[in-house]
Amino acid sequence: MPTGALNPFVPGRGVLPPYLAGREAEKRKLKGVLGYVEAGRGAPRDVVLSGPRGNGKTVLLRWFQGEVEQLGGRIDVLWRTPSDLPSVDALATSLVPPGRFKAMLPDSLSLSIGTGRVGWELGDNLGTLSELLTLRCRQRPLVVLLDEAHTLDTVVGQALLNASQSVAALAPFLLVLAGTPGIAPQLNAMSATFWDRAEQIGMGLLDESAAADALSRPFEAETPPTTFEAAALSRAVEASQCYPYFVQLIGAALWDVAAANGHGTIDGGVVAQAASAFDQGRGTYYHHRHNELERAGLLDVASAIARAFGNRDQVTQAEVDAVIAGTRVISGTTASQDEAIRIRDDLAAVGYVWNPPGEGHVWRPGIPSLMAHIGGLVPPT
């Protein structure tokens, strides 16, 4: 899986300890909102982690789960994905398991009993979810981590967001959502307008120092340690473009070569040997993203946006919309404004471009050098 800065290499002589590099600002924000729950209060806002795939959202979420678990069991933490929550009843059952909390809940609620399963039946009374969750959190503080939230069902998501607002005002509760940039239009579709007041954390590229740490620290933790020559580390960081998934790819390739050659030092020769496997992995990744854009009918617009970006690392939203309007022909006419917005959202949902939180109308490439690959401008470096 994409690791962000968590390096999961599995060498022949044991498993390397994971190392989460960078993301210090993101971790501080998460620990800040957790402090409210630790103090027996609801968090003043939900947290929304967003960023193109491969930037380590899931890894940061796992780190945060560990932080909560290290509090000695004083706070419950649940990890869920939208596939676990196909309906509001499933949501209520997952967050407030009847078998664990039935004694403290209203007798008026219905339960469905199946093979080895007891679940809530809320019917159309969605407000009951808030009642259930408030009673549950007063007994046991709760943190809910929802990964891949950009795929959350609209009805289920609306019930969850509304419940979160109500419960956090009355009991110790925190909701953290993580997803691709497609999470914004998905949350907008839930008509929970207050979501944009959430603590929004953008997950983009690492800085060079963090990328270097993500590559080198796991090697240095071995016994005996494997070290990098400075020039070799710089070359590997440059190849990764500080994109966490590419850090994983180049790191895994370096590990395989170093292990096969018995190197105690990563030098330029090891980096050169690892380059072929890295290039192949990166090329496969680009191929999958190309096919994804093609299946979504977005390849023509993606190519035009690549040419509009050129060698720049950002463009304005107006430029993106102008490219879409000038490229896409809908039934013999140029795209309408609504259609342009939908296409822009679709491009963000697959991580081709994104608008980082707090950057106004600035749009950036989602995956380094993918635009050059899609637009046929220059070979990826």
Side-chain angles (χ1 to χ4, degrees), residues 292-356:
E292 182 177 47
L293 290 165
E294 186 174 41
R295 287 193 300 270
L298 298 170
L299 196 55
D300 58 341
V301 177
S303 297
I305 287 176
R307 292 189 290 273
F309 265 90
N311 294 321
R312 293 183 292 171
D313 64 358
Q314 65 182 57
V315 297
T316 66
Q317 182 168 299
E319 287 177 287
V320 172
D321 290 348
V323 170
I324 293 171
T327 303
R328 176 55 53 90
V329 176
I330 307 297
S331 301
T333 62
T334 55
S336 66
Q337 183 177 4
D338 287 346
E339 180 69 5
I341 292 172
R342 184 193 64 76
I343 293 170
R344 188 213 308 151
D345 288 345
D346 288 346
L347 288 167
V350 299
Y352 187 69
V353 292
W354 77 305
N355 171 220

Side-chain angles (χ1 to χ4, degrees), residues 16-225:
L16 283 172
Y19 182 74
L20 180 61
R23 308 306 188 198
E24 296 306 316
E26 294 87 343
K27 290 191 285 187
R28 283 194 298 272
K29 289 180 179 179
L30 286 167
K31 293 182 78 170
V33 290
L34 178 61
Y36 289 90
V37 184
E38 289 184 80
R41 300 163 56 191
R45 64 191 70 87
D46 299 331
V47 177
V48 178
L49 299 175
S50 66
R53 69 188 74 191
N55 276 300
K57 299 179 294 296
T58 298
V59 173
L60 184 62
L61 217 57
R62 288 294 185 195
W63 168 85
F64 188 54
Q65 180 183 28
E67 290 294 300
V68 179
E69 290 173 343
Q70 289 176 18
L71 296 176
R74 292 184 287 115
I75 300 173
D76 289 342
V77 57
L78 296 178
W79 179 290
R80 296 292 184 265
T81 64
S83 61
D84 302 320
L85 311 172
S87 67
V88 175
D89 287 347
L91 173 67
T93 300
S94 181
L95 300 187
V96 191
R100 182 178 175 190
F101 295 102
K102 186 176 185 303
M104 51 169 270
L105 297 173
D107 294 333
S108 59
L109 290 177
S110 298
L111 287 174
S112 62
I113 302 176
T115 305
R117 179 186 176 279
V118 177
W120 294 109
E121 290 183 340
L122 303 186
D124 294 328
N125 188 12
L126 300 185
T128 305
L129 175 62
S130 298
E131 181 182 5
L132 291 173
L133 196 52
T134 298
L135 291 170
R136 182 241 193 275
C137 291
R138 283 175 172 166
Q139 185 181 64
R140 292 283 300 176
L142 176 64
V143 173
V144 175
L145 310 177
L146 183 64
D147 201 10
E148 302 295 324
H150 56 282
T151 66
L152 185 62
D153 176 81
T154 302
V155 174
V156 174
Q158 185 176 23
L160 176 60
L161 291 175
N162 285 321
S164 177
Q165 288 291 302
S166 299
V167 175
L170 301 169
F173 176 75
L174 169 63
L175 173 64
V176 181
L177 309 171
T180 71
I183 195 172
Q186 185 69 1
L187 293 176
N188 285 334
M190 295 170 188
S191 300
T193 55
F194 49 79
W195 84 262
D196 58 6
R197 298 194 295 272
E199 182 74 63
Q200 297 186 47
I201 301 176
M203 296 285 289
L205 303 181
L206 299 168
D207 61 32
E208 290 187 357
S209 176
D213 281 349
L215 282 167
S216 62
R217 292 295 183 90
F219 285 85
E220 294 169 355
E222 279 298 283
T223 305

